[in-house]
Short mmCIF file of all heavy atoms in Angstrom, two decimals:
data_model
loop_
_atom_site.label_atom_id
_atom_site.label_comp_id
_atom_site.label_asym_id
_atom_site.label_seq_id
_atom_site.Cartn_x
_atom_site.Cartn_y
_atom_site.Cartn_z
N LEU A 82 -9.35 -13.43 13.00
CA LEU A 82 -9.42 -13.59 14.45
C LEU A 82 -8.98 -15.00 14.81
O LEU A 82 -9.58 -15.98 14.34
CB LEU A 82 -10.85 -13.33 14.93
CG LEU A 82 -11.07 -13.24 16.44
CD1 LEU A 82 -10.29 -12.07 17.03
CD2 LEU A 82 -12.57 -13.08 16.74
N ARG A 83 -7.89 -15.09 15.59
CA ARG A 83 -7.36 -16.40 15.97
C ARG A 83 -8.39 -17.19 16.76
O ARG A 83 -9.24 -16.64 17.47
CB ARG A 83 -6.09 -16.22 16.82
CG ARG A 83 -4.88 -15.67 16.06
CD ARG A 83 -4.17 -16.74 15.29
NE ARG A 83 -3.53 -17.72 16.15
CZ ARG A 83 -2.28 -17.61 16.59
NH1 ARG A 83 -1.53 -16.57 16.27
NH2 ARG A 83 -1.76 -18.57 17.34
N SER A 84 -8.33 -18.50 16.66
CA SER A 84 -9.24 -19.36 17.41
C SER A 84 -9.14 -19.05 18.90
O SER A 84 -8.04 -18.95 19.46
CB SER A 84 -8.88 -20.83 17.17
OG SER A 84 -9.08 -21.16 15.80
N GLY A 85 -10.28 -18.85 19.52
CA GLY A 85 -10.32 -18.45 20.92
C GLY A 85 -10.50 -16.96 21.11
O GLY A 85 -10.84 -16.51 22.21
N GLY A 86 -10.27 -16.18 20.05
CA GLY A 86 -10.53 -14.74 20.10
C GLY A 86 -9.54 -13.90 20.86
O GLY A 86 -9.82 -12.75 21.19
N ARG A 87 -8.33 -14.43 21.13
CA ARG A 87 -7.36 -13.68 21.93
C ARG A 87 -6.43 -12.81 21.09
O ARG A 87 -5.76 -11.92 21.63
CB ARG A 87 -6.50 -14.63 22.77
CG ARG A 87 -7.29 -15.59 23.65
CD ARG A 87 -8.05 -14.90 24.75
NE ARG A 87 -8.67 -15.85 25.66
CZ ARG A 87 -9.49 -15.53 26.66
NH1 ARG A 87 -9.77 -14.26 26.87
NH2 ARG A 87 -10.01 -16.46 27.43
N SER A 88 -6.34 -13.06 19.79
CA SER A 88 -5.44 -12.29 18.92
C SER A 88 -6.12 -11.95 17.61
O SER A 88 -6.87 -12.77 17.06
CB SER A 88 -4.15 -13.07 18.63
OG SER A 88 -3.38 -13.24 19.80
N LEU A 89 -5.84 -10.75 17.11
CA LEU A 89 -6.37 -10.30 15.82
C LEU A 89 -5.20 -9.89 14.94
O LEU A 89 -4.37 -9.07 15.34
CB LEU A 89 -7.31 -9.11 16.04
CG LEU A 89 -7.93 -8.46 14.79
CD1 LEU A 89 -8.82 -9.45 14.05
CD2 LEU A 89 -8.71 -7.22 15.19
N HIS A 90 -5.11 -10.48 13.74
CA HIS A 90 -4.04 -10.20 12.80
C HIS A 90 -4.62 -9.65 11.50
O HIS A 90 -5.73 -10.02 11.10
CB HIS A 90 -3.24 -11.47 12.47
CG HIS A 90 -2.58 -12.09 13.66
ND1 HIS A 90 -1.27 -11.84 14.00
CD2 HIS A 90 -3.05 -12.96 14.59
CE1 HIS A 90 -0.96 -12.53 15.09
NE2 HIS A 90 -2.02 -13.21 15.46
N CYS A 91 -3.86 -8.77 10.84
CA CYS A 91 -4.27 -8.24 9.54
C CYS A 91 -3.14 -8.41 8.52
O CYS A 91 -1.96 -8.39 8.88
CB CYS A 91 -4.63 -6.75 9.64
SG CYS A 91 -6.08 -6.41 10.68
N TRP A 92 -3.52 -8.59 7.26
CA TRP A 92 -2.58 -8.78 6.16
C TRP A 92 -2.84 -7.75 5.07
O TRP A 92 -3.99 -7.56 4.66
CB TRP A 92 -2.71 -10.17 5.55
CG TRP A 92 -2.25 -11.30 6.41
CD1 TRP A 92 -1.04 -11.93 6.38
CD2 TRP A 92 -3.00 -11.97 7.44
NE1 TRP A 92 -0.98 -12.93 7.31
CE2 TRP A 92 -2.17 -12.97 7.98
CE3 TRP A 92 -4.29 -11.79 7.95
CZ2 TRP A 92 -2.59 -13.81 9.00
CZ3 TRP A 92 -4.72 -12.62 8.97
CH2 TRP A 92 -3.87 -13.61 9.49
N ASP A 93 -1.79 -7.11 4.59
CA ASP A 93 -1.88 -6.15 3.49
C ASP A 93 -1.77 -6.91 2.17
O ASP A 93 -0.71 -7.42 1.83
CB ASP A 93 -0.76 -5.12 3.61
CG ASP A 93 -0.77 -4.10 2.49
OD1 ASP A 93 -1.75 -4.08 1.72
OD2 ASP A 93 0.20 -3.33 2.38
N THR A 94 -2.87 -6.98 1.41
CA THR A 94 -2.86 -7.74 0.17
C THR A 94 -2.38 -6.93 -1.03
O THR A 94 -2.28 -7.46 -2.13
CB THR A 94 -4.27 -8.29 -0.14
OG1 THR A 94 -5.19 -7.19 -0.24
CG2 THR A 94 -4.72 -9.24 0.96
N ALA A 95 -2.09 -5.64 -0.81
CA ALA A 95 -1.53 -4.81 -1.89
C ALA A 95 -0.02 -4.93 -1.97
O ALA A 95 0.60 -4.43 -2.90
CB ALA A 95 -1.93 -3.35 -1.69
N ALA A 96 0.58 -5.59 -1.00
CA ALA A 96 2.04 -5.75 -0.97
C ALA A 96 2.51 -6.58 -2.15
O ALA A 96 1.82 -7.51 -2.59
CB ALA A 96 2.47 -6.40 0.34
N THR A 97 3.67 -6.25 -2.66
CA THR A 97 4.23 -6.97 -3.82
C THR A 97 5.14 -8.12 -3.41
O THR A 97 5.78 -8.73 -4.26
CB THR A 97 5.01 -5.99 -4.71
OG1 THR A 97 6.05 -5.36 -3.92
CG2 THR A 97 4.09 -4.93 -5.28
N THR A 98 5.22 -8.40 -2.11
CA THR A 98 6.06 -9.49 -1.64
C THR A 98 5.47 -10.83 -2.05
O THR A 98 4.29 -10.94 -2.39
CB THR A 98 6.19 -9.44 -0.11
OG1 THR A 98 4.88 -9.43 0.47
CG2 THR A 98 6.94 -8.18 0.33
N ALA A 99 6.32 -11.86 -1.99
CA ALA A 99 5.88 -13.20 -2.43
C ALA A 99 4.85 -13.81 -1.50
O ALA A 99 4.10 -14.69 -1.88
CB ALA A 99 7.10 -14.12 -2.53
#
Side-chain angles (χ1 to χ4, degrees):
L82 189 62
R83 291 279 293 270
S84 296
R87 305 294 186 186
S88 294
L89 178 63
H90 299 265
C91 295
W92 290 263
D93 179 10
T94 59
T97 57
T98 55

